[in-house]
Amino acid sequence: INPYPSGIFFNKNQQSFLNYIAAGYNSGAFGFDNAVGRLVSNGASANLPGAVDSLNGANGAAYTIQQQAVVMTSNSMLGNALSCPSANLNGQAFDKSECAWANINGSQLNQASLTSNPGFKINYNTYATGGQGRLTPDTYVGGAMRFGKLNAFSKSLGASASVFDASIGIKKIIGSYYIGLSGGFGISSQSNNRYSSDFLTGQSYNQYSMSNLYFGGLRLRNAYQFDGPLNSYIKPYLDLDTL
């Protein structure tokens, strides 16, 4: 079958779903003849893009919102293992000390809706703690743990997640220069509610699922500290990450 009638515009998500339906139908896979029958019925023909969205769960792109947010913020764990937020006093290099620390962070991310994107809002709060100890006079090891709660919303999805990660790091300080290496691993446990409506009957559905996301990464950091007056400093650094 040809999934694209002439004169009708489909966004990328709708095109992907139509390709999926056509491939399944052409291969004779079970259940695809029913989907094709619904798409060519009189009611669906009047608004074929709307009928596609109905079968596609009101926009499948929403389902990946939460996973994207977790991945985008997962590199924070790599920096936590290299952190020691101590004061720079008497010309001492920043981070050249032993410490224990804790912090709380909150963020919100909003994206406007487009024809191929449902739009969303994400609230993310994290609680982290860590420390650093001296291994040799100029070598330090650090570790950190982070726990977070994430909530994502769109017109077709409501989801929440609990996120936990742990990381370790080691750094060598040579005067005002240091090089560091850190690694971490985490897991996100997610509860998902997808909302859709049957195009032909108008009946609404709530599809519930659970999923886990696992992530890990490594960071190589190069940094140099320029001391300024009144215990001030400028510290540029270059991070090379893999996630």
Side-chain angles (χ1 to χ4, degrees), residues 19-237:
N19 289 337
Y20 168 70
I21 292 295
Y25 179 84
N26 291 333
S27 67
F30 175 78
F32 283 85
D33 53 346
N34 180 55
V36 171
R38 296 186 64 186
L39 289 174
V40 300
S41 68
N42 291 333
S45 299
N47 183 3
L48 189 55
V52 170
D53 284 342
S54 174
L55 287 175
N56 197 22
N59 200 321
Y63 187 71
T64 63
I65 290 171
Q66 198 173 41
Q67 291 91 326
Q68 292 171 13
V70 171
V71 171
M72 283 190 297
T73 60
S74 64
N75 60 355
S76 296
M77 67 180 178
L78 303 176
N80 286 342
L82 298 173
S83 294
C84 189
S86 55
N88 177 34
L89 299 175
N90 302 320
Q92 294 182 356
F94 189 69
D95 281 346
K96 194 172 182 179
S97 65
E98 296 177 299
C99 75
W101 58 267
N103 65 37
I104 300 174
N105 287 300
S107 63
Q108 185 177 99
L109 177 65
N110 293 278
Q111 184 179 77
S113 60
L114 303 170
T115 56
S116 59
N117 191 303
F120 60 82
K121 180 172 73 173
I122 295 173
N123 297 317
Y124 198 11
N125 299 295
T126 60
Y127 312 87
T129 182
Q132 176 177 288
R134 189 190 304 267
L135 189 62
T136 70
D138 292 315
T139 305
Y140 296 82
V141 293
M145 295 186 298
R146 186 179 63 148
F147 175 77
K149 296 291 291 184
L150 183 150
N151 293 286
F153 311 92
S154 77
K155 66 180 182 181
S156 56
L157 175 75
S160 62
S162 297
V163 183
F164 174 80
D165 59 54
S167 54
I168 58 173
I170 185 170
K171 57 190 175 186
K172 178 74 173 180
I173 298 178
I174 306 171
S176 295
Y177 169 82
Y178 92 64
I179 183 170
L181 177 67
S182 64
F185 179 80
I187 181 174
S188 171
S189 180
Q190 303 167 181
S191 300
N192 315 291
N193 288 281
R194 296 180 65 185
Y195 314 118
S196 61
S197 298
D198 188 291
F199 182 82
L200 298 177
T201 67
Q203 184 174 353
S204 298
Y205 298 94
N206 178 17
Q207 301 166 323
Y208 176 77
S209 65
M210 297 285 293
S211 57
N212 290 328
L213 172 68
Y214 302 91
F215 54 94
L218 294 171
R219 166 172 292 177
L220 177 64
R221 168 171 289 183
N222 289 271
Y224 192 89
Q225 177 176 312
F226 298 92
D227 292 321
L230 302 176
N231 293 321
S232 63
Y233 67 93
I234 298 175
K235 187 180 181 181
Y237 59 85

